[in-house]
Amino acid sequence: EGSYPYGNKFSLDVESMRREYERVKSLTTAQARAEYEASLTSERLPHEVKGGYLAKALSATSQDADGIAAIVESLDDRGGWRETITVMDPFSPFTKPPREFEGYSTGGYIGRMYRLINFLNESR
């Protein structure tokens, strides 16, 4: 069990993760491919996600052809997407102003990849 600042808690079911790892590890290549192919035809990622960092990242681009082109064109010379990141001081969040800097955001990456994957899935 761990916690983030501000009292949010999360729990990881490590045993369940280990069981799934062992299950996947025991699959043959053909079984793994069949399972993967079946997953592609199951539920698609939703176009809209409410709340949180992922929703913020998704709102930055649309999933139409122009939005997808903008995602690809915005890759930097390292092959990533830099953006302005704002962070609160974890020790003095109410007395020190937030700090902004240019960097790579996991939420931004996930949001863009979410759009790209959905676009590719729907283009098949």
Side-chain angles (χ1 to χ4, degrees):
E1 184 170 296
S3 70
Y4 292 109
Y6 315 114
N8 295 321
K9 290 187 176 183
F10 65 93
S11 295
L12 293 175
D13 183 354
V14 176
E15 284 308 311
S16 174
M17 293 170 72
R18 284 187 177 130
R19 283 191 303 272
E20 178 62 8
Y21 170 76
E22 291 301 326
R23 184 191 73 76
V24 171
K25 190 171 95 171
S26 71
L27 295 174
T28 66
T29 302
Q31 290 170 322
R33 181 169 299 285
E35 191 172 297
Y36 172 73
E37 292 293 330
S39 75
L40 294 177
T41 60
S42 62
E43 286 186 43
R44 302 286 174 151
L45 300 172
H47 286 275
E48 298 299 323
V49 175
K50 306 271 189 252
Y53 295 111
L54 181 56
K56 180 180 176 189
L58 288 174
S59 70
T61 58
S62 64
Q63 195 171 303
D64 60 17
D66 290 338
I68 297 303
I71 290 172
V72 174
E73 291 167 4
S74 65
L75 284 164
D76 66 14
D77 58 342
R78 292 179 64 189
W81 295 284
R82 289 178 63 84
E83 57 192 287
T84 301
I85 299 172
T86 304
V87 294
M88 301 293 287
D89 185 303
F91 303 106
S92 304
F94 303 111
T95 58
K96 290 187 180 174
R99 190 167 59 99
E100 287 191 346
F101 59 93
E102 289 293 311
Y104 298 98
S105 154
T106 302
Y109 171 82
I110 291 170
R112 289 174 180 97
M113 291 305 294
Y114 196 98
R115 290 285 192 231
L116 291 168
I117 290 166
N118 258 357
F119 185 79
L120 291 172
N121 280 340
E122 293 177 0
S123 298
R124 298 192 305 141

